[in-house]
Amino acid sequence: MKANMGMADRVIRIAITIAIVILYLNGVISGIAGIVLLALAMVFLLTGLIGTCPLYRLLHISTCQRKTV
């Protein structure tokens, strides 16, 4: 798949994932909301690591820097 996420977008998604996991482990978020946020965090982590977001592709969005020739 072609990457459609820039480095800043990827770093932000991974940082959000880390924050959600820390909040869940410390008991700040729990219950159904905690489980839903953990699932969202895993999606953010996966898309952040591979650099491709299916929703971006569907909406024709790209945060990658364009190389000028």
Side-chain angles (χ1 to χ4, degrees):
M1 281 189 272
K2 184 179 173 188
N4 60 4
M5 291 173 48
M7 186 56 67
D9 195 4
R10 295 172 75 177
V11 168
I12 290 169
R13 285 174 183 251
I14 293 171
I16 289 172
T17 298
I18 292 169
I20 290 172
V21 169
I22 289 171
L23 290 173
Y24 183 78
L25 292 176
N26 287 328
V28 176
I29 54 175
S30 61
I32 298 295
I35 294 170
V36 169
L37 284 174
L38 279 178
L40 180 65
M42 293 304 111
V43 171
F44 274 7
L45 180 63
L46 181 64
T47 58
L49 291 176
I50 63 173
T52 301
C53 179
L55 185 59
Y56 281 10
R57 187 170 305 283
L58 182 67
L59 298 174
H60 302 287
I61 297 172
S62 178
T63 60
C64 284
Q65 294 288 335
R66 300 273 185 211
K67 293 183 180 179
T68 57
V69 178

